[in-house]
Amino acid sequence: MDNIAAKAQIEALRELLRENSRRYYVENAPTMSDYEFDQRMHELEALEAQWPEFDDPDSPTHRVGSDISGEFVQRAHRYPMLSLGNTYNIGEIEEFAARADKLLDRSFTYCCELKFDGTAICLNYRDGKLFRALTRGDGEKGDDVTRNVRMIANIPHTLHGDFPADLEIRGEILMPYSAFEELNAEREADGDAPFANPRNAASGSLKLTDPQEVAHRGLWCTLYHIPAESVAFATHDEALRKAASWGLPVSEDRRLCRNIDEIKAFIDHWDTARRDLPYATDGIVIKINESDCQRALGYTAKSPRWAVAYKFKAEQACTPVLSIDYQVGRTGAITPVANLEPVQLSGTVVKRATLNNSDQMELLDIRVGDSVFVEKGGEIIPKITGINLEKRPADAVKPDFPKTCPDCGTPLVRDEGEARWFCPNQDGCPMQIKGRLLHFTTRKAMDILAGEATVEQLYDCGLARTPADFYDLRKQQLICLEGWQERSAQRFLDSLEQSKSVPFERVLYALGIRHVGETKARALARHFGSIDALMEATEAQMLEIEDIGAVIAASVREYLEKSQHRREIERLRAHGLQFSAAAASEAASDALAGKSIVISGNFSISREAMKALIERHGGKNSSSVSAKTAFLLAGSKPGPEKLKKCEQLGIAVIDEETFRAMLPEEKAPNRVAEEQLTLF
Ligand code: IVH
């Protein structure tokens, strides 16, 4: 390569990396895999080393990717917030250890830890109180997200023990897989684009402008670094032990290693054991443990010389595409799904993989018959990340994205700026109608005992077209249907009856207004207080609520203006559903007033119903056990982590029966196990 070609190549790589870094850190919607990004970065590093005349302090090789979004106040970091050198090659870890051995003239150890795959955070505690939280930003200054960080359940607002007066500690904000799946299911159901992985979801959630919404995202924090300039310790391990003693969340999954063999054993262990962790990790961080050795090795502009990350390659499988289905969601969004030749991946058999939208199909240039690479990134349904072109058969068929709805035949439409195609036949498309009926019954909505099969059957035999039809059903009608008996019909009708006390915010969510997920419905319900007030509200009034944007306001307006929706709301209201927050929030008693209660496991009623019961009696639900928890309400199979935490903090664990005995005038417990009605 001559120097002109080298310069062009260097500039092209810088541009590519900058663009992908922006998509990754700012938009939280990466279009390049981490592996490819890291490989390109290494390519650029090699070229810059070979052609030092083209070096530039602004090159992505010398700067950390910036997450600054412009929505928050920016503040300077007291000490630069750096990145880590990384490699996928164990040989380079051997070289790292050999180099350290050579440069350091005393014996030392390595502290090996998990590399948590979230978004970096810097916390500052003053006099033991959480004072400020900044994102990494560009390494020099970060976004001030203090208000949001205060909403993260395991970040203490106050430290205890012999904490220093001024403490700076850094770590990662994560979204556990369970919260991620819930969030994406909700987004998909609402017609919003799902997050690509838990990391993007964590980072997007940390940058929400409404802290109340952040509180509902189930974020988690783990801390792993106290800059030596902040508080000096003899070793990194000691710093982390002290941080844990002050009540800060620090992972215990770390080990002190004496040599490369012990490092390799740690890596091997976690390469498989990490699959059982409740959150995403993407490698192992190897840090030299002794602070004087860290000092001796120092830093480059971008990362410490005393630490390195070994990254795990995402697990991949390669398998042929048998066919492509086009699913119609309740909002009419069309999602292409590939049916695959079944293949083993991370311990499960994969048969289907999502393709997201037509743009992604074009980008991949996928054909039926192609062998595709599938990866699991914590999602329920794996993703297709690439195509093995070497295996493309001559007769592979390029799929035609449908022009009409695969269910009702209506021509599909795509609004400007939308990645997805939609079936506009909202009122006549059977898949959309069934999708809306099913959404209405889900736990987070009305919590009605009906699964997909029940909804399908009631639709097919003409008994349900809109949710209000459910409430007109009589036992006699149900018993006549195939698979129903007196008992199942009664249980179904009972659950409909119970749904009449579901609070307004969930009723609003259950209506299935596009873009109005659980949290937006809660915000609207709390702000306006009733459906009547919401019906009268202008879009401008809705926009006064934090986190209700123009798209949502327009969607609510459009929904409520339609006469058939107004008729439906009136029918539901006549059946006794809650259309005002005041009526719904009437307390049954104050038996649990001031008590923060954590629930875990399965109960005789759904978890949503249990939470509502706690609130009706004045209690507050909390998702994690802390010193403030009054007690843990444990059903069958409670989470072992929560039990352990209760034991550590001396917090009482009580069962459902004991709990119900605390409540006055609660009706005899409904012992019907909460399962989906199986009719056939
Ligand atoms: S230490 C000065 N430890 O990985 C060194 N970082 O790709 C500070 N990360 O920017 C970082 N787990 O956001 C450290 N156990 C761990 C980590 C970790 C994840 C993140 C961190 C860093 C990025 C580099």
Side-chain angles (χ1 to χ4, degrees):
M1 195 187 304
D2 63 17
N3 67 346
I4 297 177
K7 186 161 189 260
Q9 175 75 353
I10 286 174
E11 271 165 13
L13 278 169
R14 285 178 184 160
E15 206 34 54
L16 181 78
L17 290 167
R18 280 194 195 109
E19 175 57 16
N20 277 280
S21 180
R22 195 185 55 75
R23 289 189 190 167
Y24 184 96
Y25 287 111
V26 181
E27 289 183 11
N28 297 307
T31 42
M32 189 184 251
S33 75
D34 287 5
Y35 181 72
E36 193 176 345
F37 184 88
D38 292 333
Q39 296 308 97
R40 299 277 180 228
M41 185 70 85
H42 290 154
E43 234 172 83
L44 178 59
E45 274 163 8
L47 280 172
E48 286 177 348
Q50 199 186 338
W51 304 90
E53 62 268 44
F54 301 132
D55 203 5
D56 176 348
D58 267 347
S59 168
T61 54
H62 301 310
R63 299 188 148 255
V64 302
S66 172
D67 67 39
I68 288 175
S69 64
E71 303 257 2
F72 293 84
V73 173
Q74 288 164 29
R75 295 188 198 280
H77 286 295
R78 285 206 223 159
Y79 324 106
M81 221 171 145
L82 301 177
S83 179
L84 284 173
N86 71 57
T87 178
Y88 291 82
N89 179 348
I90 197 74
E92 290 187 21
I93 301 296
E94 287 169 3
E95 284 167 23
F96 167 80
R99 213 166 31 242
D101 263 335
K102 202 168 130 206
L103 291 172
L104 297 170
D105 49 12
R106 56 160 283 191
S107 68
F108 62 93
T109 53
Y110 302 94
C111 185
C112 294
E113 305 170 358
L114 293 169
K115 183 170 183 322
F116 302 96
D117 197 7
T119 183
I121 193 76
C122 175
L123 304 180
N124 179 213
Y125 283 85
R126 301 221 180 141
D127 295 321
K129 301 264 180 274
L130 178 59
F131 175 73
R132 185 159 286 159
L134 302 180
T135 66
R136 184 168 71 177
D138 61 5
E140 301 282 323
K141 55 186 181 320
D143 278 344
D144 184 337
V145 289
T146 314
R147 273 164 27 96
N148 287 351
V149 160
R150 285 189 203 284
M151 296 297 171
I152 298 176
N154 73 331
I155 297 184
H157 292 189
T158 312
L159 303 181
H160 51 74
D162 59 344
F163 54 80
D166 195 341
L167 169 72
E168 180 116 348
I169 184 161
R170 292 165 179 185
E172 205 86 353
I173 304 293
L174 304 163
M175 184 174 286
Y177 291 127
S178 54
F180 171 69
E181 279 167 16
E182 231 173 86
L183 176 64
N184 262 0
E186 190 184 325
R187 288 175 72 89
E188 295 233 44
D190 296 338
D192 291 335
F195 282 110
N197 52 48
R199 193 212 75 82
N200 298 126
S203 160
S205 301
L206 187 64
K207 298 263 178 128
L208 287 169
T209 47
D210 178 4
Q212 291 303 329
E213 267 221 35
V214 180
H216 289 102
R217 290 281 172 105
L219 293 176
W220 205 247
C221 176
T222 183
L223 299 168
Y224 47 61
H225 179 57
I226 299 181
E229 305 90 327
S230 172
V231 191
F233 291 96
T235 66
H236 169 69
D237 185 58
E238 185 195 337
L240 294 190
R241 269 186 285 124
K242 282 307 266 187
S245 82
W246 300 326
L248 289 161
V250 173
S251 167
E252 285 177 5
D253 295 323
R254 63 178 191 277
R255 184 177 305 158
L256 290 183
C257 295
R258 283 163 298 188
N259 51 45
I260 184 74
D261 290 337
E262 290 183 3
I263 296 175
K264 283 186 188 165
F266 186 82
I267 290 177
D268 283 347
H269 168 74
W270 283 108
D271 198 0
T272 44
R274 74 194 183 102
R275 289 183 206 153
D276 298 326
L277 291 169
Y279 41 72
T281 52
D282 61 343
I284 296 297
V285 181
I286 301 126
K287 299 175 181 171
I288 291 179
N289 189 34
E290 288 71 16
S291 304
D292 54 347
C293 296
Q294 289 188 358
R295 241 187 334 271
L297 293 172
Y299 294 82
T300 69
K302 196 174 159 183
S303 50
R305 288 202 183 85
W306 45 262
V308 66
Y310 173 79
K311 287 182 81 170
F312 296 124
K313 260 190 219 146
E315 269 185 283
Q316 267 194 346
C318 189
T319 189
V321 175
L322 303 176
S323 62
I324 295 176
D325 285 342
Y326 298 89
Q327 292 181 344
V328 190
R330 73 172 163 87
T331 58
I334 310 290
T335 307
V337 175
N339 295 308
L340 307 170
E341 177 90 49
V343 64
Q344 279 279 344
L345 180 63
S346 320
T348 54
V349 177
V350 173
K351 296 183 193 138
R352 288 153 69 75
T354 178
L355 282 155
N356 287 330
N357 54 48
S358 60
D359 286 354
Q360 204 204 345
M361 286 174 65
E362 282 293 324
L363 215 65
L364 286 167
D365 186 25
I366 194 169
R367 317 269 162 103
V368 173
D370 266 342
S371 283
V372 291
F373 296 109
V374 279
E375 271 181 29
K376 266 200 201 168
E379 301 88 85
I380 316 167
I381 176 156
K383 266 192 311 222
I384 294 182
T385 53
I387 290 173
N388 187 345
L389 287 176
E390 283 167 17
K391 285 197 180 172
R392 174 168 283 175
D395 59 352
V397 189
K398 194 172 166 82
D400 272 334
F401 199 90
K403 301 214 164 23
T404 57
C405 173
D407 199 40
C408 70
T410 305
L412 300 179
V413 294
R414 174 150 86 160
D415 290 342
E416 214 179 303
E418 287 270 12
R420 303 206 268 182
W421 287 90
F422 283 83
C423 165
N425 182 17
Q426 285 177 1
D427 303 321
C429 176
M431 287 299 279
Q432 290 185 58
I433 299 174
K434 284 187 267 185
R436 286 198 297 269
L437 287 171
L438 188 63
H439 168 75
F440 186 83
T441 66
T442 52
R443 279 186 193 193
K444 290 182 163 188
M446 304 305 286
D447 200 11
I448 293 165
L449 227 50
E452 215 170 321
T454 309
V455 168
E456 183 116 22
Q457 185 190 33
L458 294 174
Y459 175 85
D460 287 346
C461 63
L463 285 175
R465 285 288 179 276
T466 72
D469 295 339
F470 288 142
Y471 295 89
D472 285 336
L473 290 168
R474 298 280 156 265
K475 198 196 279 181
Q476 250 357 79
Q477 287 172 298
L478 294 169
I479 295 174
C480 296
L481 301 177
E482 199 184 331
W484 289 79
Q485 280 150 9
E486 160 95 28
R487 206 171 138 256
S488 51
Q490 191 56 53
R491 280 169 54 185
F492 178 64
L493 293 175
D494 284 349
S495 76
L496 281 165
E497 206 47 43
Q498 277 187 11
S499 75
K500 294 179 183 172
S501 57
V502 162
F504 171 48
E505 58 189 51
R506 277 171 54 199
V507 177
L508 188 59
Y509 167 65
L511 293 178
I513 304 171
R514 192 161 164 216
H515 300 301
V516 181
E518 214 191 341
T519 35
K520 310 281 181 217
R522 189 180 303 121
L524 288 163
R526 292 193 179 163
H527 186 85
F528 291 104
S530 72
I531 196 81
D532 298 312
L534 186 58
M535 279 181 186
E536 291 193 352
T538 61
E539 284 179 42
Q541 285 168 328
M542 291 185 224
L543 288 172
E544 283 169 18
I545 310 176
E546 244 183 309
D547 254 42
I548 298 288
V551 175
I552 302 166
S555 171
V556 174
R557 198 59 277 128
E558 192 188 330
Y559 181 94
L560 291 175
E561 265 165 12
K562 285 202 174 150
S563 58
Q564 80 264 33
H565 293 151
R566 287 187 171 239
R567 271 199 307 278
E568 172 73 5
I569 289 170
E570 287 322 316
R571 279 180 69 201
L572 292 170
R573 196 198 311 247
H575 279 294
L577 272 67
Q578 304 292 333
F579 279 101
S580 88
S585 63
E586 246 170 53
S589 85
D590 57 2
L592 306 173
K595 290 196 163 54
S596 169
I597 298 161
V598 177
I599 68 170
S600 186
N602 300 318
F603 301 94
S604 65
I605 54 177
S606 73
R607 291 166 59 83
E608 296 304 324
M610 188 52 98
K611 287 183 188 169
L613 183 65
I614 291 173
E615 279 172 10
R616 274 210 306 284
H617 289 275
K620 196 173 143 273
N621 283 288
S622 172
S623 55
S624 65
V625 177
S626 74
K628 289 190 212 126
T629 306
F631 57 82
L632 176 85
L633 172 53
S636 63
K637 298 204 199 125
E641 289 285 314
K642 289 201 169 110
L643 290 175
K644 197 170 130 202
K645 194 87 195 269
C646 283
E647 202 182 309
Q648 282 167 357
L649 297 174
I651 284 164
V653 178
I654 67 170
D655 65 9
E656 184 174 344
E657 214 164 343
T658 319
F659 170 71
R660 285 187 181 270
M662 294 164 69
L663 309 177
E665 293 166 36
E666 252 317 299
K667 278 193 260 159
N670 171 5
R671 291 286 165 203
V672 176
E674 212 239 344
E675 70 217 18
Q676 299 267 294
L677 269 186
T678 20
L679 299 167
F680 305 106

